[in-house]
């Protein structure tokens, strides 16, 4: 018995023991989740235009799910913030092209807070059955908050806006950007869950069937749903067609000081319109029924400047078609970013005032505080623009044209209101000259493609300096210009009046997803409290 006992003890001593982890290696291992969070955010950025790598959003959210699963709220807050920085820092770099890094960094620091809070929510629901569903809903709830606060919101960077070239795009017609974004995020989190379960099965040899079924459904349902939703996407004319011309007059120079050349910008757009009229007269191009100028194409107020009035009137008469002119207009002591319907026979007959104006670009919140930090910033916005209050739908020839001015294209309600007010096609007049050759113009163009599918409407994008484009109701770009060139696009496009489920449902899908997120968070918090009480008992 003694010999046997001694043999067993010696055998125990001969078993290999795990090597101690050195302090520096332990610190390095603790940095892995932080690095993965930041890099997955960068991966999400790379999935956005002008690149067509939309599918990278799936592994980005898969890694994000791996990083957050089972974390406490403090770790999740930090990891979520790193993910937000990795995504938003490069995505929004264009905001500092002309004004320096200060405003860009301030914007990213604030917007990343929303992503950090989403990280806490995702970590909380990651312990629940079917967690990818709850986690994807939490992400959409975070986007809903970002689209509303602060300063009336900043929805730039919605996941939906990176999917203009992707297989999930038809989901926009089902429930707008919330449903499209939800499908992508759900598929990404589901992808991680499938990989996790495969690894777990190799280690233990067994996986619960309900858990595996939920993981597979998280991946397959968004894809199948998107394929089924393709039946909602059509570019067939329902109310005839209209020949539209989008004018890109170009600007004398890029940057903030393009405004000092306001007269030249107006003259450029008049000149390009007259050049187009000459080609029409020569039989080289079909005569347009309607002509669309970009935002800020006449920063000289034509209602107070006789020369500007005469120039626009001459252009309308020369082309022989109504023009939607983007002007800066002062009325009753207030400044408006306005679209003006200019008839070749009657002159200006209707107007639309931009409703969603850009903070720190068209008006300056916290003017006193901003001025104390940097007086140059307040001088860039000397007078705040006022907001319009009504949708803008112009009757041009035989078409009802909905106006969505530049920044408004990022806001669900601003586009939807034009369609529900009767718009048969949408125009997104924009001015990207202040952002030089940055990715901003391509990101905004992708938004317009998503809006085309969401509401099944042709979308025209006339821009001062490019990229101008004509987009079919199925999201295809049929014509586009280069940047910083004078050009015009002329095309016969379909008019449509039917409404997609997304148009009819409006805000309801977003509300439903926010409620799902709230339900998941409530369940997670309740389960945590019950577990704590049981542990104390």
């Amino acid at each position: 018995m003694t010999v046997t006992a001694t043999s067993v003890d010696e055998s125990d001593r001969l078993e290999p023991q795990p090597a101690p982890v050195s302090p520096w290696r332990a610190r390095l291992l603790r940095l892995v989740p932080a690095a993965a969070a930041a890099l997955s955010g960068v991966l999400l950025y790379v999935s956005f235009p002008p690149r067509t790598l939309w599918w990278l959003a799936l592994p980005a959210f898969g890694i994000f799910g791996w990083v957050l699963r089972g974390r406490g709220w403090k770790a999740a807050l930090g990891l979520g913030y790193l993910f937000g920085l990795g995504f938003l820092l490069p995505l929004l770099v264009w905001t500092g092209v002309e004004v320096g890094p200060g405003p860009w960094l301030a914007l990213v620091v604030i917007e990343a807070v929303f992503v950090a809070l989403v990280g806490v929510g995702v970590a909380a629901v990651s312990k629940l059955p079917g967690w990818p569903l709850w986690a994807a809903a939490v992400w959409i709830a975070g986007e809903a908050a970002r689209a509303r606060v602060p300063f009336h919101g900043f929805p730039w960077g919605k996941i939906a806006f990176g999917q203009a070239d992707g297989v999930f795009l038809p989901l926009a017609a089902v429930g707008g950007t919330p449903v499209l974004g939800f499908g992508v995020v759900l598929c990404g989190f589901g992808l991680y869950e499938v990989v996790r379960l495969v690894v777990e099965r190799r280690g233990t040899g067994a996986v619960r069937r309900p858990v595996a079924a939920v993981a597979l459904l998280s991946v397959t349902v968004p894809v199948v749903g998107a394929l089924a939703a393709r039946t909602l996407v059509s570019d067939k004319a329902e109310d005839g067609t209209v020949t539209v011309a989008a004018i890109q007059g170009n600007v004398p120079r890029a940057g903030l000081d393009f405004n000092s050349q306001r007269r030249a910008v107006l003259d450029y757009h008049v000149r390009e319109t007259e050049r187009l009229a000459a080609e029409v007269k020569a039989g080289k191009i079909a005569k347009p029924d309607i002509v669309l100028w970009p935002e800020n194409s006449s920063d000289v107020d034509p209602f107070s400047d006789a020369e500007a009035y005469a120039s626009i009137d001459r252009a309308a008469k020369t082309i022989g078609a109504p023009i939607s002119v983007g002007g800066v207009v002062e009325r009753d002591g207030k400044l408006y970013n306005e679209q003006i319907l200019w008839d070749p026979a009657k002159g200006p007959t209707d107007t639309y005032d931009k409703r969603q104006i850009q903070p720190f670009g068209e008006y300056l919140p916290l003017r006193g505080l901003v001025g104390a930090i940097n007086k140059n910033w307040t001088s860039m916005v000397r007078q705040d623009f006022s907001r319009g209050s009504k949708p803008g739908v112009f009757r041009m020839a035989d078409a009802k044209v909905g106006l969505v001015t530049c920044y408004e294209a990022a806001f669900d309600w601003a586009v939807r209101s034009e369609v529900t007010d009767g718009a048969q096609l949408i125009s997104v007049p924009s001015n990207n000259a202040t952002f030089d050759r940055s990715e901003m113009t391509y990101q905004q163009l992708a938004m317009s493609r998503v809006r085309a599918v969401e509401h099944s409407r042709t979308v025209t994008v006339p821009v001062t300096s490019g990229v101008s484009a004509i987009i079919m109701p199925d999201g295809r770009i049929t014509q586009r210009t280069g940047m910083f060139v004078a050009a015009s696009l002329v095309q016969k496009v379909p008019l449509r009046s039917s409404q997609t489920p997304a148009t009819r449902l409006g805000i309801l899908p977003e509300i439903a997803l926010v409620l799902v997120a709230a339900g998941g968070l409530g369940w997670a918090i309740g389960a945590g409290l019950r577990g704590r009480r049981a542990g104390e008992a």
Side-chain angles (χ1 to χ4, degrees), residues 512-536:
L513 290 171
V514 170
L515 291 176
V516 169
L521 290 170
W523 184 5
I525 293 170
L529 291 175
R530 287 191 296 271
R532 185 178 301 174
R533 289 168 186 165
E536 291 173 353

Side-chain angles (χ1 to χ4, degrees), residues 60 244 492:
V244 60
K492 182 182 290 186

Side-chain angles (χ1 to χ4, degrees), residues 393 400-402 418-426 457 496-497:
V393 179
K400 295 178 181 178
V401 182
E418 313 302 64
V419 178
T420 57
D421 205 45
Q424 296 167 305
L425 67 86
I426 298 169
R457 294 292 187 273
R496 294 178 59 84
S497 56

Side-chain angles (χ1 to χ4, degrees), residues 17-18 56 93 129 150 198 206 256 264 344 384 396 405 453 456 459 463 468 478:
Q17 300 296 317
L56 286 178
V93 68
V198 169
L256 293 175
D384 292 344
M396 304 180 71
T405 306
V453 174
S456 194
V459 176
V463 183
S468 298
T478 53

Side-chain angles (χ1 to χ4, degrees), residues 141-402:
E143 287 191 343
R146 280 208 307 125
R148 289 165 174 82
V149 293
F151 312 127
H152 299 276
F154 186 76
W156 215 280
K158 274 189 169 186
I159 299 306
F161 296 149
Q163 297 295 310
D165 291 294
V167 69
F168 298 99
L169 180 59
L171 289 175
V174 177
T177 59
V179 169
L180 172 53
F182 175 77
V184 175
V185 179
L186 175 61
C187 194
F189 284 144
L191 186 65
Y192 159 64
E193 183 69 351
V194 168
V195 172
R196 186 185 70 83
L197 292 177
V198 169
V199 173
E200 183 179 305
R201 183 177 181 180
R202 287 180 178 177
T204 63
V207 173
R208 288 178 296 169
R209 289 185 178 180
V211 176
V214 169
L216 290 173
L217 288 173
S218 298
V219 175
T220 57
V221 168
V223 176
V224 173
L227 294 175
R230 293 178 67 182
T231 58
L232 300 173
V233 179
S234 173
D235 62 355
K236 293 182 179 179
E238 295 175 333
D239 304 305
T241 60
V242 66
T243 300
V244 60
I247 302 296
Q248 177 176 300
N250 203 10
V251 297
R253 57 179 177 267
L256 293 175
D257 63 347
F258 91 95
N259 282 308
S260 64
Q261 300 291 314
R262 294 179 298 169
R263 178 69 65 182
V265 173
L266 171 58
D267 290 343
Y268 283 11
H269 285 83
V270 170
R271 184 188 307 164
E272 181 60 24
T273 304
E274 291 176 337
R275 187 198 64 79
L276 175 62
E279 291 199 338
V280 169
K281 187 175 182 180
K284 297 179 181 179
I285 296 179
K287 183 181 184 300
D289 301 310
I290 63 176
V291 179
L292 303 170
W293 283 10
E295 177 189 35
N296 298 124
S297 48
S298 179
D299 277 359
V300 182
D301 186 347
F303 297 108
S304 61
D305 188 296
E307 188 177 344
Y309 186 105
S311 295
I312 299 170
D313 201 55
R314 185 180 72 248
K317 284 179 167 59
T318 303
I319 195 67
I323 304 177
S324 178
V325 179
V328 172
V329 174
E330 187 170 355
R331 188 170 54 251
D332 300 326
K334 296 180 179 180
L335 205 60
Y336 293 94
N337 186 336
E338 190 166 86
Q339 288 292 310
I340 307 165
L341 175 55
W342 208 286
D343 186 85
K346 301 176 183 177
T349 59
D350 200 359
T351 60
Y352 165 66
D353 298 322
K354 187 176 181 180
R355 294 170 292 167
Q356 188 69 44
I357 57 177
Q358 183 182 350
F360 303 99
E362 292 172 306
Y363 78 101
L364 197 60
L366 310 174
R367 184 177 287 273
L369 177 61
V370 171
I373 297 172
N374 191 324
K375 291 183 179 180
N376 290 332
W377 294 343
T378 58
S379 65
M380 292 176 188
V381 187
R382 293 186 179 89
Q383 182 180 351
D384 292 344
F385 280 82
S386 296
R387 299 175 183 275
S389 58
K390 297 179 180 179
V393 179
F394 288 169
R395 182 77 188 202
M396 304 180 71
D398 294 325
K400 295 178 181 178
V401 182

Side-chain angles (χ1 to χ4, degrees), residues 44-177:
L44 181 59
Y45 154 71
V46 175
S47 75
F48 271 66
R51 295 156 295 277
T52 57
L53 303 174
W54 57 270
W55 51 272
L56 286 178
L58 303 182
F61 278 101
I63 297 170
F64 193 43
W66 167 70
V67 166
L68 291 176
R69 190 171 187 274
R71 297 281 180 182
W73 73 268
K74 291 181 181 179
L77 186 70
L79 293 170
Y81 198 77
L82 288 172
F83 180 83
L85 291 178
F87 173 44
L88 296 172
L89 270 171
L91 185 80
L92 302 179
V93 68
W94 53 267
T95 60
V97 166
E98 295 295 337
V99 295
W104 161 50
L105 295 174
L107 175 64
V108 171
V109 164
I110 293 171
E111 293 297 312
V113 171
F114 290 90
V115 184
L117 294 174
V118 166
V120 174
V122 170
V125 301
S126 69
K127 304 167 187 176
L128 300 178
W131 73 269
L133 171 70
W134 309 109
V138 168
W139 180 272
I140 299 304
E143 287 191 343
R146 280 208 307 125
R148 289 165 174 82
V149 293
F151 312 127
H152 299 276
F154 186 76
W156 215 280
K158 274 189 169 186
I159 299 306
F161 296 149
Q163 297 295 310
D165 291 294
V167 69
F168 298 99
L169 180 59
L171 289 175
V174 177
T177 59

